[in-house]
Amino acid sequence: MKAVKNILMILGVVFVGSSLIFAVKNNDASVSTEVVKTTKNDVEKEGYRITAIEIPENLNFSGEAVPFDDPEIMERVDREFLVNTYWQSNAVLLMKRANKYFPIIEPILAKNGIPDDFKYLAVAESGLQNVVSPAGARGFWQIMPGTAKDYGLEVNANVDERYHIEKSTEVACEYLKKSKEKFGSWTLAAAAYNAGPAGIQRYMGVQKVDGYYDLLLGEETGRYVFRILAIKEILSDPEKYGFHLDKEDMYTKVPTYTVDISEPVANFADFSKEYGINYKILKRHNPWLREPHLNNSSKKKYTLEIPNKGYYKIAK
């Protein structure tokens, strides 16, 4: 009898344990399902969906239409739209910087008769930063030292005007105008900015065609105009591509006034203090100054930008 009781007791424990395990499993499944549902709902609520990109039908660069009847051209356009739309962090940074620098670039392009679309070429070249390429090109417009000197920019250890946004934009305009006169189209002028006029001329001669979209080019130049097109469309209508930035999210230019100097400057750190700023802030607004001093043995006049008071807090 005692043995029977022990057997019944064991069976009871097993039954209760099984019931508890079953209940826990069911509960876990319920929780897991709920988590999945919640995550999905959250995603749908936020509107984040990974999809193909709808390409605008009237896509053009500087008024020159993209030939969408060519399936290979369509694939190349699609690639750049996908890459530049889904590289979200980079796209947001470009939008923020564009708000700060486009108002400087746009009037210079207009004054020189260069289509407004070429501001996006500067974005493609440098991301609107004073970057340095492995080949030695510098600044927003990625100008080589020889080209800079040919077009009248000063480039030496003290001063490098490729970092001067207004002056370098003027040089880019002159370069682009010459390419347009040579090739007769803005798309080829843009391609020549990347590969050089001689390079584009060589490609055209070998392949016996006279349009950018008919040329077989190297990887970089072959993608170049398509990348500019994608950047133009995304920055022109960001919400269409899922980007929602408010005005206060954007970078803005700090107001400045100008100071002319025509004498050597022994120490820009001391010079900065005279205007209530420090060396870092002086360089931020005048990146073309390359050293903490200025030789200026020729007594050339330079114009420096100094930020208005109240925009920076300077440690005493």
Side-chain angles (χ1 to χ4, degrees):
M1 190 69 181
K2 188 176 179 181
V4 173
K5 282 184 179 181
N6 287 338
I7 292 169
L8 289 174
M9 185 180 296
I10 292 167
L11 288 174
V13 169
V14 170
F15 177 78
V16 171
S18 300
S19 300
L20 286 171
I21 291 168
F22 181 78
V24 168
K25 283 186 175 179
N26 277 350
N27 190 49
D28 284 348
S30 170
V31 170
S32 176
T33 304
E34 186 60 35
V35 168
V36 171
K37 285 181 179 178
T38 302
T39 305
K40 184 178 179 182
N41 287 340
D42 286 346
V43 169
E44 290 176 350
K45 189 187 299 181
E46 292 299 321
Y48 185 82
R49 297 171 61 221
I50 298 174
T51 65
I53 305 296
E54 183 179 348
I55 309 298
E57 293 181 0
N58 61 343
L59 198 62
N60 73 87
F61 178 73
S62 300
E64 298 173 10
V66 177
F68 278 147
D69 53 345
D70 184 330
E72 189 260 353
I73 296 294
M74 267 301 298
E75 286 188 20
R76 291 163 72 188
V77 171
D78 189 54
R79 174 185 181 178
E80 299 308 323
F81 268 80
L82 286 168
V83 168
N84 288 282
T85 299
Y86 285 118
W87 189 8
Q88 295 98 328
S89 59
N90 187 64
V92 170
L93 282 170
L94 296 181
M95 292 169 201
K96 287 171 174 276
R97 293 182 195 134
N99 188 72
K100 182 178 182 179
Y101 295 114
F102 276 0
I104 301 171
I105 294 171
E106 288 166 347
I108 299 174
L109 295 177
K111 181 187 75 174
N112 285 279
I114 303 297
D116 192 62
D117 281 0
F118 277 90
K119 66 190 180 191
Y120 301 106
L121 182 147
V123 179
E125 282 287 335
S126 65
L128 300 178
Q129 298 181 98
N130 280 315
V131 295
V132 181
S133 80
R138 296 175 185 248
F140 278 32
W141 293 93
Q142 288 292 276
I143 300 170
M144 294 293 287
T147 304
K149 292 175 181 177
D150 289 345
Y151 284 84
L153 294 182
E154 184 177 350
V155 179
N156 55 50
N158 263 186
V159 170
D160 191 338
E161 291 182 328
R162 291 177 292 172
Y163 292 104
H164 193 298
I165 184 170
E166 289 90 350
K167 290 184 179 183
S168 62
T169 303
E170 291 282 359
V171 166
C173 287
E174 289 300 315
Y175 190 95
L176 289 165
K177 278 192 286 189
K178 284 189 177 181
S179 292
K180 173 61 162 58
E181 290 169 8
K182 181 178 181 66
F183 296 112
S185 95
W186 288 117
T187 47
L188 283 171
Y193 196 92
N194 180 256
I200 294 300
Q201 189 71 63
R202 186 167 57 252
Y203 279 116
M204 292 171 70
V206 169
Q207 298 176 35
K208 301 186 187 304
V209 293
D210 56 8
Y212 174 79
Y213 297 107
D214 295 316
L215 282 169
L216 177 63
L217 299 163
E219 173 76 4
E220 184 179 340
T221 310
R223 294 181 63 181
Y224 193 65
V225 171
F226 297 99
R227 185 175 176 219
I228 295 169
L229 285 165
I231 291 170
K232 168 191 169 183
E233 291 300 319
I234 295 164
L235 267 61
S236 298
D237 192 1
E239 291 195 3
K240 178 180 176 182
Y241 298 97
F243 297 97
H244 302 273
L245 279 73
D246 295 325
K247 187 176 180 180
E248 57 268 25
D249 296 325
M250 299 299 190
Y251 300 151
T252 55
K253 187 177 185 298
V254 171
T256 60
Y257 62 96
T258 59
V259 170
D260 293 335
I261 56 173
S262 54
E263 298 290 335
V265 177
N267 189 305
F268 274 122
D270 293 334
F271 177 91
S272 302
K273 290 178 182 178
E274 295 176 21
Y275 294 94
I277 57 175
N278 58 31
Y279 178 68
K280 180 183 78 170
I281 293 169
L282 179 73
K283 279 294 301 288
R284 183 180 296 165
H285 288 274
N286 302 277
W288 50 274
L289 294 171
R290 303 312 296 164
E291 293 186 309
H293 61 272
L294 181 66
N295 296 333
N296 200 13
S297 55
S298 63
K299 302 292 182 72
K300 177 181 176 180
K301 186 179 85 170
Y302 293 95
T303 300
L304 276 64
E305 285 195 21
I306 307 294
N308 291 355
K309 290 183 179 179
Y311 282 88
Y312 295 102
K313 291 182 179 179
I314 310 298
K316 299 296 183 184

